[in-house]
Amino acid sequence: MSTDDWDQRIDDFYAHEFDETDPAAAIARMRALVAERPDGDAAALFELGGVHDALGLEHEAIDHYRRAISAGLEGERATRVHIQLASTLRNVGAAAEAVSILEAMPAGGADDDARQAILALALFDEGRYGDALRTALLALIPTLDGYRRSLAGYAAELPSGGRET
């Protein structure tokens, strides 16, 4: 089976089979799909993490995401695994690590809007309110028809750093 076929089956699983009210069945189905790939396959580990994450099983998802990264995940999934890992870490109270991961990622790549949104949330959780608002504003500004220059100026004036009061 080609990678494209397997990817399509993953998409079909989420579109037609995934049922968050039956976590055991969802995990079993994903494990069956993962079993079609070689042991330790990075994409399979990423997808296994994703199903755990979608079911609210964050700690299990984190382990799978880290294993996917260690296995050398590439392409679009490589970007997404870092965003999903950071989001999940934020959800379990590890916002500082989430910020570190997201700030280390290059800006402007695939899913950069999602990276910036999760980064803004993690910065807020870290008490870096000015940085959080600046990140959100800078992500929003390119979508606006007007006020870009003034909003960019306002964003630049926001305080940076640790817990602001």
Side-chain angles (χ1 to χ4, degrees), residues 49-142:
V51 76
H52 281 86
D53 212 354
L55 293 167
L57 303 169
E58 288 94 352
H59 293 284
E60 293 88 341
I62 289 168
D63 180 56
H64 292 299
Y65 290 153
R66 291 189 195 282
R67 290 176 53 216
I69 292 166
S70 294
L73 193 61
E74 297 178 345
E76 185 177 284
R77 283 187 173 112
T79 299
R80 289 187 174 166
V81 74
H82 287 92
I83 294 169
Q84 288 178 217
L85 173 60
S87 176
T88 305
L89 286 166
R90 178 191 162 269
N91 287 342
V92 300
E97 186 177 357
V99 168
S100 178
I101 290 167
L102 295 167
E103 287 183 334
M105 292 178 69
D111 293 325
D112 196 55
D113 292 342
R115 181 192 68 83
Q116 291 179 70
I118 302 301
L119 176 57
L121 291 167
L123 287 165
F124 183 87
D125 289 350
E126 280 295 288
R128 294 173 54 187
Y129 308 121
D131 292 331
L133 181 55
R134 180 181 315 96
T135 299
L137 284 171
L138 292 176
L140 174 66
I141 289 169

